[in-house]
Amino acid sequence: MKKISIVVPCYNEQEVLPLFYEEIQKVMLQIQEEHTDTNFELLFINDGSKDNTLQILREMAKKDERVRYVSFSRNFGKEAGMFAGMENAKGDYVVIMDADLQHPPKFLPLMYNTVLSGEYDCATTRRVSRKGEPKLLSWFSRKFYKIINKISQTEIVDGAQDFRFMTRKMVDSILSMKEYNRFSKGIFSWVGFRTKYIEYENVERAAGTSTWSFWKLFCYALEGFFAFSTAPLTLASVLGIISCLAAFVMIVVIIVKKLCFGDPVQGFTTLICAIFLVGGLQLFCTGISGQYLAKTYLETKKRPIYLVSETEEDARKTEEF
Ligand code: UDP
Ligand code: MG
């Protein structure tokens, strides 16, 4: 028998979970009709939801023994959710997908067949349009991919998503990367393996609201730069060299001027501009080094990526079960 673990990170998804469960059941049946040697586990990660997500998961686990869940002690973020899912999954294959049906379950049979063919270790989807997304956000996203692919050795495919169907081998490789500051889009491509991209049009959320504000996405993009490239540090050094060269030229000009014209008072404007410019540059570069230092500081603490408060096993032990 082959087992497929479907990992679903959930944060405040009470509205969408019943819809998701209904849809995924249809697809699981469809796959089992074609592949009778396949069974499933549904592994939900409750990422410290403040609504009734956990209650819904308990109910689902009570009715359906394929349903498992891991509930975090607080909100640790989707990256931690995906990591916990992969770590707790028991399947020979692991699927990661969102709860909001933006990752259409209808692709699963195709993804399974792609991986089963033996040619690929991973099947994933790639959005070819950003329909329904604010224009400004799309523009920033496209710029992000352009820049990061220029400055990072790791290729990060535009439109690639966390919706992945992976073999155990690939999952174990990802799990061997224990870094605390996780940027999965980079990690998936850093580990390599043969990946098939299935293209599709963007789908909007089935219900509920996205938790990703523009600011959160911006910080996530910065996380990507700092986690998968040291180019900002090079930029800081280059800026330093350029301002040194400029300073050298300025010194020569000022000395020559002083010797020829002997007027020491003029040049106030130049002085103020230079002070502000150099001050700004220094703060900017210190900020860049600070970012790397902060990341290093967090990594050295070796804090756990997530903490569990409850799993379906705890719930099954209690009397109501
Ligand atoms: N999610 C999570 N923890 C968080 C934020 C989001 O586990 O802190 C989950 C969320 O429940 C959903 C998936 O990550 O299943 C994607 O989130 P969302 O739909 O809000 O993001 P978007 O699709 O807008 O990128
Ligand atoms: Mg979504």
Side-chain angles (χ1 to χ4, degrees):
M1 282 304 258
K2 286 183 195 131
K3 182 175 248 165
I4 302 178
S5 302
I6 300 179
V7 170
V8 191
C10 307
Y11 178 55
N12 296 344
E13 298 288 10
Q14 61 177 13
E15 277 131 57
V16 101
L17 269 179
L19 298 173
F20 175 82
Y21 184 54
E22 199 181 302
E23 284 300 308
I24 202 76
Q25 264 180 318
K26 285 186 213 153
V27 176
M28 291 196 300
L29 261 177
Q30 189 192 334
I31 291 179
Q32 275 173 326
E33 271 166 21
E34 200 184 328
H35 306 276
T36 42
D37 61 342
T38 302
N39 59 23
F40 287 90
E41 82 176 352
L42 279 170
L43 177 55
F44 294 93
I45 311 295
N46 175 35
D47 186 10
S49 300
K50 293 184 180 71
D51 63 359
N52 286 325
T53 300
L54 182 58
Q55 281 84 325
I56 295 175
L57 292 178
R58 282 189 191 131
E59 284 300 311
M60 271 159 56
K62 202 195 280 187
K63 285 192 213 121
D64 186 342
E65 60 171 25
R66 292 171 304 179
V67 174
R68 294 177 56 211
Y69 67 86
V70 172
S71 185
F72 288 175
S73 58
R74 63 167 169 88
N75 179 254
F76 279 87
K78 189 187 173 190
E79 291 288 340
M82 292 194 285
F83 184 80
M86 286 187 268
E87 207 166 48
N88 288 283
K90 296 180 179 155
D92 306 293
Y93 301 98
V94 176
V95 181
I96 299 179
M97 60 197 298
D98 286 1
D100 58 10
L101 295 171
Q102 278 190 304
H103 295 162
K106 66 169 189 219
F107 286 119
L108 286 178
L110 174 61
M111 288 168 127
Y112 188 31
N113 286 331
T114 307
V115 171
L116 271 186
S117 73
E119 270 178 62
Y120 295 98
D121 297 289
C122 173
T124 183
T125 53
R126 199 172 88 84
R127 282 192 297 188
V128 284
S129 78
R130 290 182 168 268
K131 211 169 55 185
E133 203 182 64
K135 288 240 157 35
L136 190 68
L137 193 64
S138 305
W139 186 82
F140 270 107
S141 305
R142 273 199 297 274
K143 283 278 167 282
F144 164 74
Y145 285 107
K146 244 199 192 131
I147 298 172
I148 198 155
N149 281 319
K150 277 222 174 90
I151 65 175
S152 168
Q153 253 89 359
T154 311
E155 196 204 354
I156 292 166
V157 178
D158 188 359
Q161 294 173 306
D162 301 331
F163 183 19
R164 297 203 169 229
F165 195 115
M166 293 174 283
T167 57
R168 177 49 56 188
K169 233 191 300 172
M170 180 160 172
V171 170
D172 287 342
S173 311
I174 293 171
L175 287 174
S176 71
M177 296 175 78
K178 297 255 184 264
E179 60 212 67
Y180 182 76
N181 297 286
R182 301 188 76 77
F183 183 72
S184 283
K185 281 186 201 306
I187 292 176
F188 287 136
S189 82
W190 191 90
V191 295
F193 294 98
R194 296 155 304 172
T195 302
K196 166 89 178 162
Y197 291 95
I198 299 163
E199 300 192 341
Y200 84 110
E201 293 272 323
N202 192 26
V203 183
E204 285 185 51
R205 220 173 208 287
T209 45
S210 169
T211 49
W212 289 89
S213 60
F214 184 80
W215 177 244
K216 259 178 130 179
L217 280 171
F218 181 72
C219 293
Y220 187 62
L222 287 185
E223 187 84 21
F225 286 133
F226 293 125
F228 277 88
S229 167
T230 47
L233 283 174
T234 316
L235 176 73
S237 314
V238 171
L239 284 176
I241 294 169
I242 294 175
S243 59
C244 279
L245 288 176
F248 183 73
V249 174
M250 285 283 281
I251 290 169
V252 173
V253 170
I254 288 166
I255 291 178
V256 170
K257 248 177 135 180
K258 163 87 181 151
L259 291 177
C260 297
F261 306 104
D263 180 10
V265 186
Q266 270 187 3
F268 175 76
T269 319
T270 326
L271 195 67
I272 289 295
C273 291
I275 289 175
F276 276 116
L277 180 72
V278 173
L281 270 180
Q282 275 177 339
L283 280 181
F284 179 68
C285 297
T286 318
I288 291 178
S289 333
Q291 283 295 329
Y292 284 95
L293 189 65
K295 299 278 175 232
T296 316
Y297 173 60
L298 285 173
E299 290 295 342
T300 53
K301 288 190 183 189
K302 296 214 181 321
R303 283 186 181 164
I305 294 170
Y306 64 92
L307 291 172
V308 177
S309 72
E310 181 185 320
T311 68
E312 84 288 345
E313 277 170 27
D314 300 321
R316 278 179 183 139
K317 269 185 230 147
T318 61
E319 272 183 328
E320 313 126 54
F321 258 76

